[in-house]
Amino acid sequence: MVDVQVQVGQLVPDFRLPADGGEEIVLSQYRGRKVIIYFYPRDMTPACTKQACDFRDQSEVLMEQGAVVLGVSGDSVKSHDKFKAKHGLSFPLLADEDHQVSRLFGVWQLKKMYGREYEGIVRSTFLIDEAGRLLQEWRGVRVAGHVDKVLEALQEHTSSK
């Protein structure tokens, strides 16, 4: 399979993934709202926990801006259920166990750590508009201050309408 990577300005292809709680999420169900999709490597790891909690802590402000947050990793629904419950997360966590959606966004990549190569998710965030077009992307994200940058971009895109 050839990996297709969504580009800024393009319509994001619809996808369907299982989510925590046994629900299934279809991207198109959020048409009419902005969608923040953030990809993260693993549940329960320090940086991923900090990022999830940062989104949780700003969820009210993000909702006021008309946005919904979706977290995506290759972890199972069962793992997401535990992660969400432990940290009181207020948004869906999607299980991309076959990495198809991660490939669609170009975030499933070869990584290197301590001299070892492996495939994994490169921490990245995407802002999608109400019509389903990719507005902005952040790749290779550093967690500290990231949610603030997403909120600023969301406010810019909301006020420019």
Side-chain angles (χ1 to χ4, degrees):
M1 182 188 138
V2 174
D3 291 344
V4 177
Q5 188 173 321
V6 178
Q7 302 290 321
V8 172
Q10 289 182 336
L11 200 59
V12 176
D14 204 15
F15 62 81
R16 174 184 308 268
L17 284 175
D20 60 86
E23 147 179 48
E24 194 167 76
I25 299 287
V26 181
L27 180 61
S28 60
Q29 78 189 60
Y30 296 107
R31 289 280 155 80
R33 299 182 72 185
K34 287 189 175 71
V35 179
I36 297 163
I37 300 177
Y38 81 95
F39 291 85
Y40 63 99
R42 291 195 65 89
D43 291 339
M44 304 293 187
T45 58
C48 295
T49 298
K50 167 101 174 81
Q51 184 178 26
C53 291
D54 286 352
F55 273 113
R56 176 201 64 203
D57 295 347
Q58 293 293 336
S59 62
E60 195 171 304
V61 178
L62 294 165
M63 285 192 310
E64 286 170 6
Q65 296 293 322
V68 62
V69 174
L70 303 173
V72 181
S73 81
D75 293 305
S76 68
V77 168
K78 186 176 179 181
S79 176
H80 284 339
D81 286 338
K82 290 178 187 172
F83 187 48
K84 186 171 183 172
K86 182 173 182 175
H87 297 287
L89 303 180
S90 54
F91 49 84
L93 297 176
L94 284 58
D96 186 24
E97 291 184 87
D98 66 2
H99 318 297
Q100 292 304 307
V101 176
S102 300
R103 284 185 174 97
L104 171 70
F105 282 87
V107 301
W108 185 256
Q109 298 177 11
L110 189 63
K111 298 169 77 173
K112 293 179 183 181
M113 184 185 297
Y114 305 120
R116 187 176 76 91
E117 288 189 350
Y118 62 98
E119 287 188 308
I121 289 179
V122 174
R123 189 181 312 278
S124 303
T125 302
F126 300 86
L127 176 59
I128 300 169
D129 73 9
E130 296 86 347
R133 291 196 184 283
L134 182 58
L135 282 176
Q136 196 162 339
E137 62 184 18
W138 296 264
R139 295 178 180 277
V141 166
R142 298 265 182 238
V143 173
H146 174 63
V147 173
D148 293 333
K149 291 176 189 169
V150 173
L151 185 54
E152 286 173 25
L154 181 61
Q155 289 168 336
E156 284 174 24
H157 287 292
T158 301
S159 65
S160 66
K161 282 200 155 193

